[in-house]
């Protein structure tokens, strides 16, 4: 069987069929709390920290639907004496735990008792932390129980006016528990059961009626938002689009997810932090799901629905027709203009996210090329009496409006601008790289950042147009990708618009599905490239999907290629400028080294000197005193042991000694 999903008419995207009741399954609405098995557990220990302390008693009560199904209680030998303060608090003495089973024997029995249940504890991190530490110490795998903390629930529904704190003894007295807590495991677990039931009864009016609700029941979510939790009931766990609708059935917000049920439920929990979305949830009256075959189809449907309904709580993709482009006009003396539509015969880049971004890209082109900036349409022959603007006076415009001979010069400039827009942006990058390098040397970093931002805006617009142009010109493209289950996900694209999708189950020949998809796919009229037939962001989504690993092109009607030296390789302005700047810096350094070498070669060497410096006396230790000499006296001059005159050390020898101290010392 092949599940095919060609794009249906708009009304099929927005509304579900009415008049037919749908049987909602338990998987769609979750597990009611009355059907959940809880194991309420309490521990007594020798201290407050797992690892440094040990368990002395385990008590647990298993309940479901308000009925007690079983109890578990045992003392545990902690492997050491029980501290005196713990004995006073709990009444458990060292003599009581001597001979009791160790935790390695108790833990398997408790895990079997609690299998498949939800653990409940008062201050659950304490009790569950000790149990996890014991499991790790004894080599038992922790099953990963869902955990409910009655302290967090109590903080949600019990105010300070009712109880001064949220201790177990205080809550047990408030809710008139049948068992009084006494710091013994089983008694405290029984008291916690009564507290749990009382808390759940208070949470029910707030919309906490299923097990899935308890995961966020302790979060600080306004009650009016939590009460709308039922809007997520019945939503499928499948990819698709969801539409929040208001009191007049107007579309408030459109979103997409791989799991409609989980995503919509998150709007009613503390996970949703956006004040704008909370305001939307307060207004919403219903949620319309649109199940899609694939996540790509869901993303595309979201864009189309946003463009169709213009929901007030959606901020992006609301008006694709207002996205600006840059046009190199088709006239005798072309110029650059920011427009909102693509016309045949002219060169365009974009679309840009805003008009300011498009204007920055225009300024980048003007900074790189001396193309005319005036907005009036110029005749092929200058009119008599025409005057040039100030840009012509400073050399930034060839002034074809007054100089007939400037037509060829301006035409050559236009060709370079067109080349930079549609193919190689090197002319723009090089011009801005030099400008940024000069400003950085002068420490004018703010101006350099402005130039960099202009270059970035141009590169983004040019790269986007170069990506969109081949896809929008392609009449039909069929691609396939293996799914995780082993089947095939098929995509049909016509002129950049998603015309249909299909899922082929595993071990099924996809060829018949491809032919059926091509025959039943949406008809798409050819657009004016580089503008695609659909939403520009839809074409970006399709290109992103086509670029994923494992995607195979089945067929394509026209060649699909990009320029070799395109702007797509230079979308990072820092990298594009950095490479050029580094090459320029290296070239300047080489030129400086060559110039210094030539200056050194042209400088004459000084003439050698024959005059030897005067000899100096080399100091030597005084000889031993002769007969009759007083202690400390040296020999007189002229004595055979008197110092001799020696020439100064040779400079070459001094240099050798400096370079090789060890050799010089050995020679000495």
């Amino acid at each position: 069987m092949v599940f095919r999903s060609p794009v249906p008419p708009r009304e099929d995207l927005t509304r579900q069929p009415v008049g037919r009741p749908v049987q909602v399954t338990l998987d769609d609405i979750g597990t009611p709390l009355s059907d959940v098995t809880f194991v309420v557990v309490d521990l007594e220990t020798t201290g407050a920290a797992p690892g440094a302390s040990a368990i002395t008693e385990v008590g647990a009560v298993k309940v479901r639907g308000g009925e007690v199904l079983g109890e578990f209680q045992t003392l545990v030998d902690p492997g050491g004496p029980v501290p005196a303060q713990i004995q006073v608090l709990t009444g458990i003495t060292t003599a009581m735990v001597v001979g009791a089973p160790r935790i390695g024997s108790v833990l398997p029995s408790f895990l079997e008792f609690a299998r498949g249940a939800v653990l409940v504890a008062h201050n659950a991190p304490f009790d569950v932390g000790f149990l996890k530490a014991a499991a790790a110490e004894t080599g038992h795998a922790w099953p990963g129980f869902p955990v409910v903390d009655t302290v967090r629930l109590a903080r949600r529904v019990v105010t300070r006016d009712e109880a001064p704190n949220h201790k177990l003894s205080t809550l047990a007295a408030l809710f008139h528990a049948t068992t009084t807590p006494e710091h013994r495991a089983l008694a405290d677990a029984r008291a916690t059961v009564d507290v749990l039931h009382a808390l759940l009864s208070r949470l029910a009016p707030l919309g906490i009626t299923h097990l899935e609700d308890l995961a966020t029941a302790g979060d600080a979510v306004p009650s009016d938002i939590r009460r709308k939790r039922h809007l997520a009931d019945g939503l499928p766990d499948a990819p698709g689009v969801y539409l929040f609708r208001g009191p007049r059935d107007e579309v408030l917000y459109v979103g997409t997810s791989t799991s409609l049920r989980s995503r919509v439920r998150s709007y009613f929990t503390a996970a949703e932090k956006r004040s704008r979305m909370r305001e939307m949830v307060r207004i919403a009256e219903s949620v319309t799901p649109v199940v899609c075959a694939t996540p790509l189809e869901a993303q595309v449907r979201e864009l189309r629905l946003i463009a169709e309904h213009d929901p007030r709580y959606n901020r992006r993709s609301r008006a694709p027709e207002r996205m600006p482009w840059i046009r190199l006009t088709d006239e005798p003396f072309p110029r650059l203009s920011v427009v909102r539509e693509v016309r045949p015969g002219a060169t365009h880049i974009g679309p840009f996210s805003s008009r300011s971004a498009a204007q920055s890209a225009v300024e980048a082109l003007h900074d790189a090329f001396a193309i005319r900036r005036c907005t009036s349409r110029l005749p092929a022959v200058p009119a008599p009496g025409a005057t040039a603007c100030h840009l012509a006076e400073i050399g930034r415009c060839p002034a074809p409006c007054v100089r007939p001979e400037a037509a060829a010069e301006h035409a050559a400039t236009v060709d370079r601008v067109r080349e930079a827009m549609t193919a190689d942006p090197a002319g723009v990058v090089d011009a801005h790289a030099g400008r940024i390098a000069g400003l950085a040397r002068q420490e004018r970093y703010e101006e350099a950042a402005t130039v960099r931002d202009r270059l970035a805006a141009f590169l983004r617009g040019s790269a986007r147009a170069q990506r969109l142009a081949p896809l929008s010109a392609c009449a039909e493209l069929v691609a396939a990708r293996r799914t995780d289950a082993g089947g095939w996900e098929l995509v049909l694209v016509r002129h950049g618009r998603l015309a249909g999708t299909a899922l082929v189950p595993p071990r099924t020949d996809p060829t018949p599905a491809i032919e059926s998809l091509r025959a039943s796919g949406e008809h798409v009229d050819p657009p004016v490239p580089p503008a695609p037939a659909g939403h520009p962001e839809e074409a970006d989504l399709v290109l992103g999907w086509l670029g994923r690993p494992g995607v195979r092109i089945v067929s394509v009607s026209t060649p699909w290629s990009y320029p070799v030296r395109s702007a797509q390789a230079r979308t990072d302005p820092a990298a594009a400028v950095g490479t050029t700047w580094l090459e320029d810096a290296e070239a300047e350094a080489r030129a400086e080294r060559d110039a210094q070498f030539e200056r050194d070669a042209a400088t004459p060497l000084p003439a050698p000197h024959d005059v030897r410096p005067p000899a100096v006396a080399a100091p030597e230790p005084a000889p031993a005193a002769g007969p009759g000499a007083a202690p400390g006296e040296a020999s007189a001059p002229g004595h055979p042991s008197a110092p001799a005159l020696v020439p100064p050390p040779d400079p070459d020898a001094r240099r050798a000694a400096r370079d090789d101290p060890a050799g010089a010392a050995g020679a000495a």
Side-chain angles (χ1 to χ4, degrees):
M1 178 181 294
V2 176
F3 301 93
R4 181 169 47 81
S5 180
V7 178
R10 291 182 178 179
E11 55 270 15
D12 292 344
L13 286 173
T14 59
R15 299 295 296 165
Q16 284 186 311
V18 296
R20 277 181 62 188
V22 178
Q23 177 64 43
V24 180
T25 65
L26 289 178
D27 291 337
D28 293 334
I29 63 175
T31 306
L33 292 176
S34 58
D35 296 337
V36 177
T37 301
F38 296 101
V39 170
V40 183
V41 62
D42 186 82
L43 304 179
E44 301 300 331
T45 64
T46 60
S53 307
I55 299 173
T56 58
E57 187 179 23
V58 179
V61 180
K62 181 184 292 186
V63 295
R64 182 175 62 237
E67 179 183 356
V68 176
L69 303 180
E71 293 183 341
F72 182 95
Q73 188 276 333
T74 180
L75 291 171
V76 180
D77 184 358
V82 179
Q85 67 272 20
I86 299 298
Q87 297 185 34
V88 174
L89 178 66
T90 64
I92 300 176
T93 64
T94 303
M96 294 173 60
V97 297
V98 171
R102 300 296 298 270
I103 189 61
S105 302
V106 173
L107 189 61
S109 301
F110 172 77
L111 295 178
E112 180 64 27
F113 177 78
R115 175 185 295 181
V118 176
L119 288 187
V120 181
H122 198 74
N123 190 17
F126 175 85
D127 300 278
V128 176
F130 266 93
L131 291 173
K132 287 183 176 180
E137 180 182 353
T138 57
H140 293 85
W142 181 253
F145 296 104
V147 178
V148 175
D149 187 359
T150 52
V151 172
R152 292 191 62 199
L153 299 182
R155 289 172 180 166
R156 181 72 180 86
V157 295
V158 178
T159 65
R160 290 293 182 181
D161 296 335
E162 297 179 282
N165 54 58
H166 298 104
K167 294 181 180 179
L168 180 59
S169 57
T170 303
L171 297 176
L174 174 65
F175 296 129
H176 306 288
T178 57
T179 304
T180 301
E182 55 185 20
H183 291 292
R184 291 299 299 268
L186 185 57
D188 289 2
R190 291 170 176 169
T192 305
V193 170
D194 294 336
V195 171
L196 173 67
H197 290 159
L199 294 175
L200 293 181
S201 65
R202 289 196 174 193
L203 290 169
L206 302 179
I208 311 300
T209 58
H210 294 76
L211 175 61
E212 291 76 12
D213 303 332
L214 283 179
T216 58
D219 298 335
V221 179
S223 58
D224 57 339
I225 291 180
R226 189 178 290 279
R227 276 195 294 267
K228 294 198 173 184
R229 170 70 172 73
H230 68 278
L231 297 180
D233 293 345
L235 297 181
D237 185 16
V241 181
Y242 54 90
L243 297 89
F244 279 91
R245 295 182 177 272
R248 296 184 300 275
D249 204 40
E250 73 276 18
V251 177
L252 301 175
Y253 182 78
V254 178
T256 182
S257 176
T258 56
S259 173
L260 292 172
R261 182 172 62 207
S262 300
R263 182 66 186 99
V264 174
R265 279 177 175 170
S266 67
Y267 285 93
F268 312 104
T269 67
E272 183 53 69
K273 305 293 184 183
R274 297 170 294 177
S275 59
R276 186 178 179 86
M277 289 296 99
R278 291 198 171 188
E279 177 184 325
M280 182 272 298
V281 171
R282 287 187 171 96
I283 302 174
E285 296 291 338
S286 63
V287 178
T288 301
V290 181
V291 178
C292 300
T294 63
L296 174 62
E297 182 187 353
Q299 294 172 340
V300 170
R301 287 177 185 264
E302 178 193 23
L303 289 174
R304 296 183 185 179
L305 289 172
I306 292 175
E308 176 184 353
H309 294 283
D310 193 18
R312 53 177 164 163
Y313 289 97
N314 283 95
R315 291 186 174 179
R316 71 176 186 89
S317 311
R318 294 178 60 178
E321 69 279 358
R322 294 200 296 264
M323 299 182 73
W325 298 74
I326 293 179
R327 176 188 298 162
L328 183 62
T329 60
D330 183 17
E331 53 183 307
F333 299 102
R335 60 185 177 87
L336 297 171
S337 177
V338 178
V339 298
R340 288 185 176 176
E341 61 177 343
V342 177
R343 295 179 180 177
T347 302
H348 298 79
I349 61 172
F352 294 84
S353 58
S354 63
R355 187 174 183 85
S356 60
Q359 192 60 44
S360 296
V362 170
E363 293 173 0
L365 287 167
H366 282 158
D367 291 343
F369 303 103
I371 188 173
R372 76 180 185 97
R373 305 188 187 188
C374 51
T375 58
S376 58
R377 188 178 183 90
L378 300 181
V381 178
T387 59
C389 61
H390 68 284
L391 293 175
E393 298 176 0
I394 63 176
R396 294 300 301 162
C397 178
C401 55
V402 297
R403 297 175 54 238
E405 65 277 9
E409 179 184 352
H410 189 268
T413 301
V414 169
D415 291 339
R416 293 197 300 271
V417 172
R418 185 178 291 107
E419 172 73 12
M421 293 173 63
T422 60
D424 188 359
V428 181
V429 173
D430 294 343
H432 284 69
R435 176 65 174 158
I436 292 174
L439 292 172
R441 293 190 189 96
Q442 300 173 27
E443 299 184 359
R444 296 159 61 183
Y445 301 114
E446 292 79 5
E447 297 180 49
T450 301
V451 176
R452 177 206 60 197
D453 294 342
R454 292 176 184 173
L455 175 61
F458 164 75
L459 291 175
R460 284 194 297 267
S462 179
R464 194 174 191 184
Q466 291 172 5
R467 281 169 53 86
L468 294 177
L471 190 65
S472 61
C474 182
E476 182 178 282
L477 183 147
V478 180
R481 186 184 70 89
R482 278 284 188 184
T483 63
D484 296 337
W488 289 97
E489 176 185 353
L490 305 179
V491 168
L492 173 66
V493 182
R494 288 173 175 166
H495 296 295
R497 180 180 174 91
L498 181 66
T501 60
L503 283 178
V504 180
R507 297 181 298 277
T508 303
D509 183 10
T511 304
I514 294 174
E515 297 302 324
S516 175
L517 185 64
R518 297 178 62 183
S520 60
E522 178 187 10
H523 172 74
V524 179
D525 294 328
V528 179
H535 197 301
E537 293 187 19
E538 176 180 337
D540 290 336
L541 290 173
V542 171
L543 286 170
W545 186 89
L546 292 173
R548 294 177 58 183
V551 173
R552 304 182 185 182
I553 303 298
V554 178
S555 63
V556 61
S557 60
T558 55
W560 183 25
S561 61
Y562 298 129
V564 175
R565 290 180 293 274
S566 67
Q568 298 184 66
R570 304 194 183 195
T571 53
D572 183 6
V577 171
T579 302
T580 306
W581 188 4
L582 180 60
E583 293 173 354
D584 294 343
E586 291 177 346
E588 292 180 4
R590 286 194 299 269
E592 179 62 24
R593 287 196 300 268
D594 294 343
Q596 183 63 39
F597 178 79
E598 293 177 359
R599 288 193 297 268
D600 293 343
T603 303
L605 296 176
H609 297 281
D610 296 333
V611 180
R612 295 175 60 85
V616 298
E620 290 186 3
E633 290 185 359
S635 299
H639 191 275
S641 62
L645 296 177
V646 296
D650 186 9
D652 294 335
R654 185 186 295 117
R655 187 179 301 107
R658 180 196 63 192
D659 296 338
D660 187 10

